[in-house]
Amino acid sequence: MAHPYHVFTQAGYAVDFVSPQGGAPPMDGIDHSDGMQQAFLDDAAAMAKVRASLRPAEVTPADYVAIFYAGGHGVMWDFPNNVPLAQIAQQIYEAQGVVAAVCHGPAALVNITLSDGRYLVAGKTVACFTNEEEVAVGLTEVVPFLLESTLAERGATISKAPNFQAHTAVSERLVTGQNPASATPVAEEMVRVLAEQG
Amino acid sequence: MQSKILIVLTSHGQLGNTGVLQAFICRRWPTRTTSSRRPVTR
């Protein structure tokens, strides 16, 4: 999340944070040897925003040009069935905004539908943490569902690279990435698509 | 007015050693890795 945040702010965007429960989200997977992660941790203003993340009900979708779902295995439990978060993404997308997700973040996409009732991912090309990567990390039997398989069931065409290689997919205004290495490329693609939107 | 992007974070704690695992993945295949360059393994 620190890397996309850097890309967004360097491109001139303001960033807000939201989480299903609001407030301070669990901080995990921190690598203090990663200069950008450490810089984020040292950024008092950014950290204050994270610790006071908005609740979905506090978000006005019209205020945002894009929504980015971060990853981590935890999102497999609290993103897919969060209706308010899905509605925020739907409204941003239908207002010509960008919806993006990386690693397990595309778990948020499995139940997002558009006004016509179709799944957002139906007919689109999507990258996500793959079934092979889930096997590689030994969590196939732990996660509540296989992300790649479920997105394919929703009508997405899965695009993937070998395990843990950076890989992104851009399909209309949906930008997705496969794994942690894809976080920065996804953010960069978002900025590019937003620039094209004008 | 400055355009805004919304980042969505989980409220769900990671599982067991999953956080450690993610950190391992991030160290071994850092974000700067590109699809044109294979990860360095030791």
Side-chain angles (χ1 to χ4, degrees):
Chain A
M1 176 266 288
H3 293 261
Y5 177 85
H6 178 75
V7 172
F8 299 149
T9 53
Q10 286 297 302
Y13 292 96
V15 175
D16 286 338
F17 296 93
V18 64
S19 63
Q21 295 178 23
M27 298 285 283
D28 214 335
I30 296 171
D31 180 358
H32 292 280
S33 69
D34 180 325
M36 204 167 289
Q37 288 192 38
Q38 190 59 50
F40 186 86
L41 293 169
D42 292 339
D43 184 335
M47 286 301 298
K49 273 194 160 184
V50 168
R51 292 195 184 98
S53 72
L54 302 168
R55 287 180 290 107
E58 297 175 304
V59 171
T60 302
D63 289 346
Y64 299 93
V65 295
I67 183 169
F68 172 87
Y69 290 93
H73 275 87
V75 309
M76 293 287 282
W77 280 264
D78 69 350
F79 278 3
N81 296 311
N82 192 300
V83 174
L85 280 179
Q87 290 173 335
I88 291 168
Q90 178 215 338
Q91 290 177 48
I92 290 173
Y93 190 82
E94 294 192 327
Q96 303 308 305
V98 171
V99 173
V102 69
C103 196
H104 286 89
L109 308 178
V110 302
N111 289 323
I112 295 177
T113 54
L114 300 177
S115 297
D116 62 5
R118 286 165 49 88
Y119 286 112
L120 169 64
V121 298
K124 295 192 178 71
T125 302
V126 172
C128 68
F129 202 74
T130 65
N131 292 349
E132 292 88 348
E133 287 170 322
E134 210 67 82
V135 170
V137 299
L139 293 173
T140 298
E141 304 301 323
V142 176
V143 291
F145 60 93
L146 284 173
L147 184 54
E148 176 189 338
S149 298
T150 304
L151 287 167
E153 288 169 8
R154 299 295 198 253
T157 298
I158 304 298
S159 173
K160 56 184 174 181
N163 286 1
F164 308 114
Q165 296 282 315
H167 182 65
T168 60
V170 180
S171 197
E172 297 179 14
R173 299 182 314 286
L174 179 63
V175 182
T176 47
Q178 182 171 324
N179 44 39
S182 311
T184 294
V186 165
E188 291 170 343
E189 289 286 12
M190 286 176 69
V191 169
R192 183 184 62 77
V193 173
L194 285 166
E196 287 178 358
Q197 292 290 307
Chain B
M1 193 174 75
Q2 192 177 21
S3 296
K4 294 204 296 183
I5 292 175
L6 186 63
I7 294 181
V8 189
L9 304 171
T10 183
S11 296
H12 193 286
Q14 298 280 6
L15 293 176
N17 68 350
T18 307
V20 175
L21 195 58
Q22 287 279 358
F24 165 78
I25 292 169
C26 289
R27 277 196 302 274
R28 187 146 250 202
W29 293 283
T31 306
R32 61 180 175 273
T33 301
T34 68
S35 57
S36 62
R37 191 178 71 189
R38 297 190 66 79
V40 176
T41 54
R42 299 185 180 90

